[in-house]
Amino acid sequence: MEVIRTVHEMKQCITAFHKEKKRIGFVPTMGALHKGHLALIVRALQENDKVVCSIFVNPLQFNNSGDLSKYPRNLDRDLAMLKTIGCDTVFTPEVDDIYPEPETKVYEFGLLDKVMEGRFRPGHFNGVAIVVKKLFDIITPHQAYFGEKDFQQLAIIKALVKLENLKIDIVSCPTFREKDGLAMSSRNMRLSKEQRAKAPMIYRILSHVRERYPVESPEEVKKWVYQEFEKEKPAINLEYFEIVDSESLQPLDKPKPTGGVTACIAVCFGEIRLIDNMVLNA
Ligand code: AMP
């Protein structure tokens, strides 16, 4: 497994891949890897000749400096995990190498980034789009893999590819969960024992929501979810729960007879913020 630490060396490596006519798969991550990340890389390995996994904690997408400084980092452990699954190339650049100059780019995603994560984390998706575009330019992948766990991010990335006219296939991969239903996340390792024991309630509530919709209106379902979380205050705070159109991501006020509908949620356990989602209607 090759570990590449600079943009310059990464570009040289990619030039060699292209000369050998290799099909390149790319999986961007922020490290602190878990089985959900590995599932994306394993799939990329099956579908490409070469796979690059990047590990880069992108400061531009953190709207909260505490969240950035406390974001889990463990490169040695990550590299050991990547080795076990046969990942060929890992890219671990420094912040100054990715951002030699201050970034001023502002992306226009219409209504996509005005709701949910975009509303509660101002600037987050602009930071995501900037880093992903930079990484795409360096790695020039044929296919890039993203998790459905970050449902809104996936929509933003698809919009970015359209906006920038990129010839990259965006492959969406199902959410990998713990046995108790909790969506795997690097942030889970920051939960206390008590918080970890409570955290599967997110999945339980989403599963109930799937049964209630569309028997009840989105508004009724939403009211029930808020009532359930009210009982858990102040240890657990529901930041938002929305039932949205899976394409436009706009909240629905009545059930949609056809087309995709997804329930999305963000919950804070103290200062640890977890997100999840569930398809209600594909
Ligand atoms: P992150 O390191 O959190 O930026 O995540 C890197 C990629 O892994 C993103 O495309 C995420 O959506 C994806 N990912 C994170 N957690 C999961 C999960 N539990 N299941 C599937 N994909 C995931």
Side-chain angles (χ1 to χ4, degrees):
M1 186 172 78
E2 198 172 358
V3 182
I4 297 178
R5 297 179 196 275
T6 68
V7 171
H8 179 69
E9 283 168 290
M10 190 68 243
K11 283 183 174 170
Q12 283 182 327
C13 172
I14 293 295
T15 305
F17 287 169
H18 283 306
K19 267 195 191 135
E20 295 162 21
K21 300 252 182 295
K22 301 291 187 199
R23 186 172 179 81
I24 304 168
F26 175 44
V27 184
T29 80
M30 296 205 297
L33 301 180
H34 50 67
K35 285 184 193 153
H37 293 116
L38 297 189
L40 266 61
I41 298 160
V42 166
R43 174 145 178 210
L45 284 164
Q46 287 163 354
E47 297 177 356
N48 299 275
D49 304 315
K50 293 284 177 187
V51 170
V52 180
C53 168
S54 64
I55 297 180
F56 180 65
V57 181
N58 173 33
L60 248 55
Q61 72 187 69
F62 285 80
N63 56 313
N64 174 328
S65 57
D67 191 24
L68 172 62
S69 64
K70 288 182 187 154
Y71 197 83
R73 294 166 169 86
N74 196 338
L75 187 60
D76 290 345
R77 182 176 164 276
D78 289 346
L79 295 179
M81 285 171 85
L82 290 170
K83 231 178 181 171
T84 62
I85 57 163
C87 179
D88 25 81
T89 313
V90 188
F91 181 40
T92 63
E94 296 293 333
V95 172
D96 292 349
D97 203 7
I98 293 290
Y99 300 120
E101 282 155 27
E103 282 302 325
T104 51
K105 175 93 187 166
V106 178
Y107 281 99
E108 181 46 69
F109 292 116
L111 293 177
L112 275 188
D113 65 348
K114 305 293 181 290
V115 291
M116 303 191 289
E117 293 301 285
R119 188 168 144 233
F120 284 90
R121 301 184 70 188
H124 169 66
F125 285 124
N126 204 56
V128 169
I130 287 173
V131 78
V132 169
K133 172 69 166 62
K134 272 184 180 279
L135 293 169
F136 280 174
D137 287 347
I138 297 165
I139 291 157
T140 62
H142 296 87
Q143 308 210 95
Y145 295 75
F146 291 85
E148 286 164 10
K149 146 97 171 25
D150 297 281
F151 177 71
Q152 193 171 7
Q153 171 172 282
L154 194 51
I156 294 285
I157 301 297
K158 286 178 183 166
L160 174 72
V161 164
K162 257 196 196 153
L163 209 64
E164 297 278 7
N165 230 336
L166 305 174
K167 285 191 185 58
I168 301 172
D169 261 357
I170 301 302
V171 183
S172 56
C173 305
T175 301
F176 220 80
R177 297 181 181 279
E178 302 285 355
K179 280 201 183 75
D180 57 17
L182 177 64
M184 288 191 185
S185 163
S186 305
R187 290 185 171 88
N188 291 353
M189 58 178 85
R190 293 185 56 210
L191 296 170
S192 69
K193 217 174 151 193
E194 293 73 25
Q195 289 170 328
R196 177 62 189 81
K198 275 279 183 186
M201 86 172 279
I202 301 173
Y203 179 72
R204 274 202 308 276
I205 296 252
L206 287 175
S207 305
H208 274 294
V209 164
R210 193 172 44 192
E211 281 163 29
R212 284 172 178 257
Y213 176 90
V215 182
E216 295 173 27
S217 71
E219 203 176 309
E220 282 168 321
V221 177
K222 201 168 159 176
K223 200 169 149 200
W224 174 77
V225 172
Y226 273 84
Q227 276 166 1
E228 288 302 299
F229 277 98
E230 198 58 40
K231 301 173 197 162
E232 304 294 337
K233 276 183 173 172
I236 305 172
N237 278 296
L238 176 61
E239 198 164 82
Y240 67 77
F241 169 81
E242 296 288 2
I243 294 179
V244 302
D245 179 297
S246 303
E247 295 293 317
S248 72
L249 306 193
Q250 301 313 297
L252 297 173
D253 51 10
K254 50 178 188 287
K256 242 175 62 157
T258 57
V261 175
T262 303
C264 301
I265 192 166
V267 180
C268 295
F269 290 72
E271 60 181 11
I272 303 151
R273 189 171 177 282
L274 303 180
I275 60 169
D276 201 348
N277 65 81
M278 194 174 280
V279 173
L280 305 183
N281 196 2

